[in-house]
Amino acid sequence: MREIRYLGDPVLRTAAEPVTEFDRELRRLIDEMFATMYLASGVGLAGPQIGVPKRLFVYEITNRKGHVVNPELIIDDPDEVVEEEGCLSVPGRETGKPLYAPTPRAAGVTVRGFDQLGRPLAITARGMLARCFQHEFDHLEGRLYVDRLPRDTARKIMLQTP
């Protein structure tokens, strides 16, 4: 298990670097990311969230499990969908659990990238999986879901964090 980084850690606000080595170390990192995500009861986890400024994320939503290395995000359906969203890196000071807020996201996306062996992959998603892909991709760009919220809502959330 890796330590999850919280709002205020500079790694969360820095764009991640591409993965260049598809080796045993990468496969071990992906395994550790899944373990960390499961122990934290999350549905997605990006490299920067565990202090690894590399472009990769893992996910498991409604029995769809996987990882994407060096992802590129394509918006297929730009219609805005607003649903509750939280983040393991933005926990409440009192509960230690993610703080949720209605967050706008695109209705449909495709993620293109590579698997842990360097093989190309493309996944088209809608619903919660599309939301997860956008959320994790934002982490790789140095953004958090609170950046997509109205300023007053983001401020209220940030005041509740450790």
Side-chain angles (χ1 to χ4, degrees):
M1 166 131 174
R2 298 281 189 113
E3 180 182 336
I4 294 176
R5 303 299 179 94
Y6 297 134
L7 182 67
D9 189 315
V11 74
L12 295 173
R13 294 302 194 171
T14 305
E17 296 292 323
V19 171
T20 56
E21 300 290 326
F22 291 81
D23 56 11
R24 184 178 304 143
E25 187 175 316
L26 176 63
R27 292 188 292 279
R28 183 178 19 242
L29 174 61
I30 290 169
D31 289 344
E32 290 173 0
M33 289 175 69
F34 273 115
T36 301
M37 180 183 78
Y38 293 142
L39 284 172
S41 299
V43 297
L45 188 72
Q49 289 183 274
I50 57 166
V52 177
K54 294 291 183 185
R55 298 187 73 79
L56 75 152
F57 65 80
V58 298
Y59 64 91
E60 185 168 358
I61 293 186
T62 56
N63 298 320
R64 289 193 68 181
K65 174 183 175 179
H67 64 276
V68 184
V69 179
N70 295 336
E72 142 187 359
L73 182 76
I74 298 110
I75 304 295
D76 298 328
D77 182 349
D79 287 347
E80 188 175 275
V81 177
V82 179
E83 291 189 10
E84 291 288 307
E85 190 171 317
C87 180
L88 296 174
S89 292
V90 186
R93 182 175 38 255
E94 310 229 341
T95 65
K97 297 192 186 289
L99 297 169
Y100 287 84
T103 307
R105 296 284 184 184
V109 300
T110 296
V111 171
R112 289 195 179 112
F114 301 90
D115 71 8
Q116 63 188 341
L117 300 175
R119 297 177 298 207
L121 57 80
I123 307 161
T124 298
R126 297 189 65 77
M128 289 306 295
L129 189 58
R131 177 169 296 278
C132 176
F133 286 170
Q134 292 170 81
H135 181 107
E136 300 311 329
F137 186 82
D138 273 358
H139 278 298
L140 304 180
E141 297 294 306
R143 290 189 300 257
L144 297 169
Y145 83 104
V146 293
D147 300 335
R148 296 185 175 275
L149 303 176
R151 187 176 300 221
D152 61 325
T153 304
R155 187 174 187 282
K156 286 177 191 174
I157 286 176
M158 291 188 279
L159 287 172
Q160 296 177 54
T161 62

